[in-house]
Amino acid sequence: SAVISQKPSRDICQRGTSLTIQCQVDSQVTMMFWYRQQPGQSLTLIATANQGSEATYESGFVIDKFPISRPNLTFSTLTVSNMSPEDSSIYLCSVVTLGELFFGEGSRLTVL
Amino acid sequence: GQNIDQPTEMTATEGAIVQINCTYQTSGFNGLFWYQQHAGEAPTFLSYNVLDGLEEKGRFSSFLSRSKGYSYLLLKELQMKDSASYLCAVRDRSTGGFKTIFGAGTRLFVKA
């Protein structure tokens, strides 16, 4: 299995600001993903974080709003830019190890 | 694209057996996962099926029929702690990479 640490675990943010979420994995992994889980909803894939190249975004998500970095095989960041109350959600980092998809504990953002 | 359907809610009695169904449509099927998620927590891995048939793991079993685009999760000897959301997820490789797409989840209520 993989141990995934996310920071911050939760935050309250003001409208119009940006917040960067960090994801650290205890081993090198090829595939890292960022998901969003809005209140009462299931998980929606935002993007695949590619090491050394630009992230691959899913329909409905754009780089200007959710810039992602992946400088190496154990670390990634997701920034939620110019936040609005609709961005209030749990953001989850996940990795694939030995065929299984593991999740971090999530970062719960509340935008006022 | 992908489409994953599962019932929104189910209720069952402690000690009973419950089956949660999932149907899916995808062009690049590469495996099906079941996750359990308690409120306020990250999803935890339950099972992974890539070949047809039944996979049993303690009180939990998962079945897959690729030709029918169908899976189910079987929970035996239900306990109150099994009250949670159960997420069906499909790994897809049709876009050149590997990504896991989640269904909306089934909220299971276990009553005494």
PDB file of all heavy atoms in Angstrom, chain B residues 31-56:
ATOM      1  N   GLY B  31     -10.690  -2.815 -15.422  1.00  0.00           N
ATOM      2  CA  GLY B  31     -10.865  -3.249 -14.045  1.00  0.00           C
ATOM      3  C   GLY B  31     -11.957  -2.474 -13.333  1.00  0.00           C
ATOM      4  O   GLY B  31     -12.269  -1.326 -13.702  1.00  0.00           O
ATOM      5  N   LEU B  32     -12.537  -3.095 -12.328  1.00  0.00           N
ATOM      6  CA  LEU B  32     -13.616  -2.475 -11.562  1.00  0.00           C
ATOM      7  C   LEU B  32     -13.292  -2.567 -10.083  1.00  0.00           C
ATOM      8  O   LEU B  32     -12.863  -3.622  -9.591  1.00  0.00           O
ATOM      9  CB  LEU B  32     -14.954  -3.162 -11.868  1.00  0.00           C
ATOM     10  CG  LEU B  32     -16.197  -2.513 -11.248  1.00  0.00           C
ATOM     11  CD1 LEU B  32     -17.356  -2.562 -12.220  1.00  0.00           C
ATOM     12  CD2 LEU B  32     -16.562  -3.160  -9.930  1.00  0.00           C
ATOM     13  N   PHE B  33     -13.505  -1.474  -9.388  1.00  0.00           N
ATOM     14  CA  PHE B  33     -13.211  -1.372  -7.960  1.00  0.00           C
ATOM     15  C   PHE B  33     -14.488  -1.134  -7.174  1.00  0.00           C
ATOM     16  O   PHE B  33     -15.440  -0.528  -7.670  1.00  0.00           O
ATOM     17  CB  PHE B  33     -12.290  -0.170  -7.680  1.00  0.00           C
ATOM     18  CG  PHE B  33     -10.952  -0.233  -8.341  1.00  0.00           C
ATOM     19  CD1 PHE B  33     -10.790   0.190  -9.653  1.00  0.00           C
ATOM     20  CD2 PHE B  33      -9.845  -0.687  -7.644  1.00  0.00           C
ATOM     21  CE1 PHE B  33      -9.544   0.156 -10.258  1.00  0.00           C
ATOM     22  CE2 PHE B  33      -8.600  -0.717  -8.246  1.00  0.00           C
ATOM     23  CZ  PHE B  33      -8.448  -0.299  -9.556  1.00  0.00           C
ATOM     24  N   TRP B  34     -14.465  -1.574  -5.940  1.00  0.00           N
ATOM     25  CA  TRP B  34     -15.464  -1.178  -4.963  1.00  0.00           C
ATOM     26  C   TRP B  34     -14.729  -0.531  -3.784  1.00  0.00           C
ATOM     27  O   TRP B  34     -13.715  -1.054  -3.295  1.00  0.00           O
ATOM     28  CB  TRP B  34     -16.278  -2.372  -4.463  1.00  0.00           C
ATOM     29  CG  TRP B  34     -17.313  -2.842  -5.435  1.00  0.00           C
ATOM     30  CD1 TRP B  34     -17.203  -3.863  -6.339  1.00  0.00           C
ATOM     31  CD2 TRP B  34     -18.637  -2.320  -5.590  1.00  0.00           C
ATOM     32  NE1 TRP B  34     -18.370  -3.997  -7.055  1.00  0.00           N
ATOM     33  CE2 TRP B  34     -19.282  -3.064  -6.608  1.00  0.00           C
ATOM     34  CE3 TRP B  34     -19.366  -1.298  -4.964  1.00  0.00           C
ATOM     35  CZ2 TRP B  34     -20.584  -2.832  -7.021  1.00  0.00           C
ATOM     36  CZ3 TRP B  34     -20.654  -1.055  -5.371  1.00  0.00           C
ATOM     37  CH2 TRP B  34     -21.261  -1.819  -6.391  1.00  0.00           C
ATOM     38  N   TYR B  35     -15.277   0.611  -3.357  1.00  0.00           N
ATOM     39  CA  TYR B  35     -14.731   1.328  -2.215  1.00  0.00           C
ATOM     40  C   TYR B  35     -15.835   1.547  -1.188  1.00  0.00           C
ATOM     41  O   TYR B  35     -17.019   1.681  -1.533  1.00  0.00           O
ATOM     42  CB  TYR B  35     -14.182   2.698  -2.634  1.00  0.00           C
ATOM     43  CG  TYR B  35     -12.850   2.638  -3.328  1.00  0.00           C
ATOM     44  CD1 TYR B  35     -12.777   2.344  -4.686  1.00  0.00           C
ATOM     45  CD2 TYR B  35     -11.670   2.847  -2.624  1.00  0.00           C
ATOM     46  CE1 TYR B  35     -11.547   2.276  -5.325  1.00  0.00           C
ATOM     47  CE2 TYR B  35     -10.442   2.775  -3.266  1.00  0.00           C
ATOM     48  CZ  TYR B  35     -10.396   2.489  -4.616  1.00  0.00           C
ATOM     49  OH  TYR B  35      -9.182   2.409  -5.243  1.00  0.00           O
ATOM     50  N   GLN B  36     -15.422   1.614   0.066  1.00  0.00           N
ATOM     51  CA  GLN B  36     -16.322   1.978   1.150  1.00  0.00           C
ATOM     52  C   GLN B  36     -15.931   3.365   1.641  1.00  0.00           C
ATOM     53  O   GLN B  36     -14.746   3.673   1.776  1.00  0.00           O
ATOM     54  CB  GLN B  36     -16.198   0.972   2.307  1.00  0.00           C
ATOM     55  CG  GLN B  36     -17.091   1.273   3.497  1.00  0.00           C
ATOM     56  CD  GLN B  36     -16.741   0.392   4.696  1.00  0.00           C
ATOM     57  OE1 GLN B  36     -15.633   0.459   5.223  1.00  0.00           O
ATOM     58  NE2 GLN B  36     -17.676  -0.456   5.107  1.00  0.00           N
ATOM     59  N   GLN B  37     -16.922   4.193   1.889  1.00  0.00           N
ATOM     60  CA  GLN B  37     -16.622   5.525   2.410  1.00  0.00           C
ATOM     61  C   GLN B  37     -17.588   5.886   3.521  1.00  0.00           C
ATOM     62  O   GLN B  37     -18.796   6.004   3.305  1.00  0.00           O
ATOM     63  CB  GLN B  37     -16.693   6.583   1.306  1.00  0.00           C
ATOM     64  CG  GLN B  37     -16.223   7.966   1.774  1.00  0.00           C
ATOM     65  CD  GLN B  37     -16.210   8.995   0.660  1.00  0.00           C
ATOM     66  OE1 GLN B  37     -16.982   8.919  -0.282  1.00  0.00           O
ATOM     67  NE2 GLN B  37     -15.315   9.972   0.787  1.00  0.00           N
ATOM     68  N   HIS B  38     -17.043   6.062   4.728  1.00  0.00           N
ATOM     69  CA  HIS B  38     -17.827   6.573   5.833  1.00  0.00           C
ATOM     70  C   HIS B  38     -17.828   8.092   5.765  1.00  0.00           C
ATOM     71  O   HIS B  38     -16.886   8.713   5.252  1.00  0.00           O
ATOM     72  CB  HIS B  38     -17.256   6.096   7.173  1.00  0.00           C
ATOM     73  CG  HIS B  38     -17.537   4.662   7.450  1.00  0.00           C
ATOM     74  ND1 HIS B  38     -16.609   3.652   7.238  1.00  0.00           N
ATOM     75  CD2 HIS B  38     -18.646   4.039   7.931  1.00  0.00           C
ATOM     76  CE1 HIS B  38     -17.134   2.492   7.566  1.00  0.00           C
ATOM     77  NE2 HIS B  38     -18.377   2.695   7.996  1.00  0.00           N
ATOM     78  N   ALA B  39     -18.870   8.677   6.301  1.00  0.00           N
ATOM     79  CA  ALA B  39     -19.031  10.135   6.251  1.00  0.00           C
ATOM     80  C   ALA B  39     -17.811  10.828   6.846  1.00  0.00           C
ATOM     81  O   ALA B  39     -17.349  10.480   7.936  1.00  0.00           O
ATOM     82  CB  ALA B  39     -20.296  10.546   6.997  1.00  0.00           C
ATOM     83  N   GLY B  40     -17.289  11.788   6.104  1.00  0.00           N
ATOM     84  CA  GLY B  40     -16.164  12.568   6.588  1.00  0.00           C
ATOM     85  C   GLY B  40     -14.812  11.899   6.444  1.00  0.00           C
ATOM     86  O   GLY B  40     -13.806  12.458   6.883  1.00  0.00           O
ATOM     87  N   GLU B  41     -14.787  10.722   5.828  1.00  0.00           N
ATOM     88  CA  GLU B  41     -13.516  10.009   5.677  1.00  0.00           C
ATOM     89  C   GLU B  41     -13.213   9.781   4.198  1.00  0.00           C
ATOM     90  O   GLU B  41     -14.085   9.876   3.345  1.00  0.00           O
ATOM     91  CB  GLU B  41     -13.570   8.665   6.411  1.00  0.00           C
ATOM     92  CG  GLU B  41     -13.800   8.811   7.902  1.00  0.00           C
ATOM     93  CD  GLU B  41     -13.832   7.448   8.603  1.00  0.00           C
ATOM     94  OE1 GLU B  41     -13.506   6.437   7.959  1.00  0.00           O
ATOM     95  OE2 GLU B  41     -14.183   7.432   9.789  1.00  0.00           O
ATOM     96  N   ALA B  42     -11.959   9.468   3.911  1.00  0.00           N
ATOM     97  CA  ALA B  42     -11.574   9.129   2.545  1.00  0.00           C
ATOM     98  C   ALA B  42     -12.066   7.724   2.203  1.00  0.00           C
ATOM     99  O   ALA B  42     -12.284   6.904   3.088  1.00  0.00           O
ATOM    100  CB  ALA B  42     -10.049   9.207   2.406  1.00  0.00           C
ATOM    101  N   PRO B  43     -12.250   7.438   0.926  1.00  0.00           N
ATOM    102  CA  PRO B  43     -12.666   6.084   0.534  1.00  0.00           C
ATOM    103  C   PRO B  43     -11.587   5.059   0.871  1.00  0.00           C
ATOM    104  O   PRO B  43     -10.390   5.345   0.769  1.00  0.00           O
ATOM    105  CB  PRO B  43     -12.839   6.197  -0.983  1.00  0.00           C
ATOM    106  CG  PRO B  43     -12.947   7.646  -1.268  1.00  0.00           C
ATOM    107  CD  PRO B  43     -12.148   8.335  -0.226  1.00  0.00           C
ATOM    108  N   THR B  44     -12.026   3.866   1.250  1.00  0.00           N
ATOM    109  CA  THR B  44     -11.097   2.772   1.496  1.00  0.00           C
ATOM    110  C   THR B  44     -11.382   1.632   0.528  1.00  0.00           C
ATOM    111  O   THR B  44     -12.534   1.313   0.249  1.00  0.00           O
ATOM    112  CB  THR B  44     -11.169   2.270   2.945  1.00  0.00           C
ATOM    113  OG1 THR B  44     -12.525   1.911   3.229  1.00  0.00           O
ATOM    114  CG2 THR B  44     -10.721   3.322   3.917  1.00  0.00           C
ATOM    115  N   PHE B  45     -10.331   1.026   0.054  1.00  0.00           N
ATOM    116  CA  PHE B  45     -10.406  -0.023  -0.955  1.00  0.00           C
ATOM    117  C   PHE B  45     -11.058  -1.275  -0.389  1.00  0.00           C
ATOM    118  O   PHE B  45     -10.725  -1.733   0.703  1.00  0.00           O
ATOM    119  CB  PHE B  45      -8.991  -0.337  -1.437  1.00  0.00           C
ATOM    120  CG  PHE B  45      -8.881  -1.533  -2.326  1.00  0.00           C
ATOM    121  CD1 PHE B  45      -9.135  -1.425  -3.674  1.00  0.00           C
ATOM    122  CD2 PHE B  45      -8.506  -2.762  -1.804  1.00  0.00           C
ATOM    123  CE1 PHE B  45      -9.025  -2.537  -4.503  1.00  0.00           C
ATOM    124  CE2 PHE B  45      -8.395  -3.879  -2.622  1.00  0.00           C
ATOM    125  CZ  PHE B  45      -8.656  -3.765  -3.972  1.00  0.00           C
ATOM    126  N   LEU B  46     -11.999  -1.854  -1.149  1.00  0.00           N
ATOM    127  CA  LEU B  46     -12.625  -3.122  -0.772  1.00  0.00           C
ATOM    128  C   LEU B  46     -12.224  -4.252  -1.711  1.00  0.00           C
ATOM    129  O   LEU B  46     -11.867  -5.339  -1.260  1.00  0.00           O
ATOM    130  CB  LEU B  46     -14.146  -2.994  -0.786  1.00  0.00           C
ATOM    131  CG  LEU B  46     -14.801  -2.142   0.290  1.00  0.00           C
ATOM    132  CD1 LEU B  46     -16.308  -2.099   0.075  1.00  0.00           C
ATOM    133  CD2 LEU B  46     -14.460  -2.652   1.678  1.00  0.00           C
ATOM    134  N   SER B  47     -12.339  -4.003  -3.019  1.00  0.00           N
ATOM    135  CA  SER B  47     -12.110  -5.099  -3.960  1.00  0.00           C
ATOM    136  C   SER B  47     -11.754  -4.575  -5.336  1.00  0.00           C
ATOM    137  O   SER B  47     -12.006  -3.413  -5.669  1.00  0.00           O
ATOM    138  CB  SER B  47     -13.345  -5.992  -4.059  1.00  0.00           C
ATOM    139  OG  SER B  47     -14.401  -5.289  -4.701  1.00  0.00           O
ATOM    140  N   TYR B  48     -11.163  -5.477  -6.120  1.00  0.00           N
ATOM    141  CA  TYR B  48     -10.777  -5.162  -7.493  1.00  0.00           C
ATOM    142  C   TYR B  48     -11.037  -6.388  -8.346  1.00  0.00           C
ATOM    143  O   TYR B  48     -10.571  -7.485  -8.023  1.00  0.00           O
ATOM    144  CB  TYR B  48      -9.295  -4.787  -7.542  1.00  0.00           C
ATOM    145  CG  TYR B  48      -8.719  -4.604  -8.924  1.00  0.00           C
ATOM    146  CD1 TYR B  48      -9.271  -3.680  -9.799  1.00  0.00           C
ATOM    147  CD2 TYR B  48      -7.601  -5.336  -9.341  1.00  0.00           C
ATOM    148  CE1 TYR B  48      -8.728  -3.497 -11.070  1.00  0.00           C
ATOM    149  CE2 TYR B  48      -7.061  -5.154 -10.603  1.00  0.00           C
ATOM    150  CZ  TYR B  48      -7.622  -4.228 -11.468  1.00  0.00           C
ATOM    151  OH  TYR B  48      -7.087  -4.042 -12.723  1.00  0.00           O
ATOM    152  N   ASN B  49     -11.815  -6.228  -9.404  1.00  0.00           N
ATOM    153  CA  ASN B  49     -12.087  -7.316 -10.345  1.00  0.00           C
ATOM    154  C   ASN B  49     -11.646  -6.890 -11.732  1.00  0.00           C
ATOM    155  O   ASN B  49     -12.018  -5.809 -12.187  1.00  0.00           O
ATOM    156  CB  ASN B  49     -13.586  -7.643 -10.400  1.00  0.00           C
ATOM    157  CG  ASN B  49     -14.123  -8.199  -9.111  1.00  0.00           C
ATOM    158  OD1 ASN B  49     -14.191  -7.487  -8.105  1.00  0.00           O
ATOM    159  ND2 ASN B  49     -14.529  -9.446  -9.130  1.00  0.00           N
ATOM    160  N   VAL B  50     -10.879  -7.730 -12.391  1.00  0.00           N
ATOM    161  CA  VAL B  50     -10.512  -7.456 -13.779  1.00  0.00           C
ATOM    162  C   VAL B  50     -10.948  -8.613 -14.687  1.00  0.00           C
ATOM    163  O   VAL B  50     -11.159  -8.417 -15.879  1.00  0.00           O
ATOM    164  CB  VAL B  50      -9.005  -7.168 -13.912  1.00  0.00           C
ATOM    165  CG1 VAL B  50      -8.180  -8.392 -13.560  1.00  0.00           C
ATOM    166  CG2 VAL B  50      -8.666  -6.628 -15.278  1.00  0.00           C
ATOM    167  N   LEU B  51     -11.105  -9.807 -14.089  1.00  0.00           N
ATOM    168  CA  LEU B  51     -11.608 -10.960 -14.824  1.00  0.00           C
ATOM    169  C   LEU B  51     -13.008 -11.313 -14.338  1.00  0.00           C
ATOM    170  O   LEU B  51     -13.389 -10.979 -13.213  1.00  0.00           O
ATOM    171  CB  LEU B  51     -10.670 -12.150 -14.626  1.00  0.00           C
ATOM    172  CG  LEU B  51      -9.229 -11.951 -15.100  1.00  0.00           C
ATOM    173  CD1 LEU B  51      -8.395 -13.186 -14.743  1.00  0.00           C
ATOM    174  CD2 LEU B  51      -9.177 -11.672 -16.586  1.00  0.00           C
ATOM    175  N   ASP B  52     -13.759 -12.002 -15.169  1.00  0.00           N
ATOM    176  CA  ASP B  52     -15.111 -12.416 -14.799  1.00  0.00           C
ATOM    177  C   ASP B  52     -15.081 -13.359 -13.607  1.00  0.00           C
ATOM    178  O   ASP B  52     -14.157 -14.179 -13.471  1.00  0.00           O
ATOM    179  CB  ASP B  52     -15.792 -13.114 -15.976  1.00  0.00           C
ATOM    180  CG  ASP B  52     -16.106 -12.164 -17.116  1.00  0.00           C
ATOM    181  OD1 ASP B  52     -15.953 -10.942 -16.921  1.00  0.00           O
ATOM    182  OD2 ASP B  52     -16.494 -12.646 -18.192  1.00  0.00           O
ATOM    183  N   GLY B  53     -16.114 -13.263 -12.785  1.00  0.00           N
ATOM    184  CA  GLY B  53     -16.230 -14.192 -11.680  1.00  0.00           C
ATOM    185  C   GLY B  53     -16.347 -13.500 -10.353  1.00  0.00           C
ATOM    186  O   GLY B  53     -16.496 -12.280 -10.263  1.00  0.00           O
ATOM    187  N   LEU B  54     -16.282 -14.317  -9.332  1.00  0.00           N
ATOM    188  CA  LEU B  54     -16.500 -13.867  -7.961  1.00  0.00           C
ATOM    189  C   LEU B  54     -15.183 -13.828  -7.198  1.00  0.00           C
ATOM    190  O   LEU B  54     -14.433 -14.784  -7.213  1.00  0.00           O
ATOM    191  CB  LEU B  54     -17.486 -14.818  -7.270  1.00  0.00           C
ATOM    192  CG  LEU B  54     -17.973 -14.442  -5.880  1.00  0.00           C
ATOM    193  CD1 LEU B  54     -18.871 -13.210  -5.952  1.00  0.00           C
ATOM    194  CD2 LEU B  54     -18.724 -15.605  -5.247  1.00  0.00           C
ATOM    195  N   GLU B  55     -14.944 -12.712  -6.527  1.00  0.00           N
ATOM    196  CA  GLU B  55     -13.796 -12.571  -5.639  1.00  0.00           C
ATOM    197  C   GLU B  55     -14.320 -12.451  -4.221  1.00  0.00           C
ATOM    198  O   GLU B  55     -15.119 -11.566  -3.928  1.00  0.00           O
ATOM    199  CB  GLU B  55     -12.982 -11.321  -5.991  1.00  0.00           C
ATOM    200  CG  GLU B  55     -12.347 -11.345  -7.365  1.00  0.00           C
ATOM    201  CD  GLU B  55     -11.034 -12.094  -7.377  1.00  0.00           C
ATOM    202  OE1 GLU B  55     -10.479 -12.338  -6.292  1.00  0.00           O
ATOM    203  OE2 GLU B  55     -10.576 -12.460  -8.482  1.00  0.00           O
ATOM    204  N   GLU B  56     -13.864 -13.346  -3.345  1.00  0.00           N
ATOM    205  CA  GLU B  56     -14.355 -13.328  -1.978  1.00  0.00           C
ATOM    206  C   GLU B  56     -13.245 -12.896  -1.021  1.00  0.00           C
ATOM    207  O   GLU B  56     -12.110 -13.341  -1.135  1.00  0.00           O
ATOM    208  CB  GLU B  56     -14.869 -14.718  -1.576  1.00  0.00           C
ATOM    209  CG  GLU B  56     -16.054 -15.170  -2.418  1.00  0.00           C
ATOM    210  CD  GLU B  56     -16.674 -16.466  -1.927  1.00  0.00           C
ATOM    211  OE1 GLU B  56     -17.362 -16.429  -0.908  1.00  0.00           O
ATOM    212  OE2 GLU B  56     -16.441 -17.494  -2.572  1.00  0.00           O
TER     213      GLU B  56
END
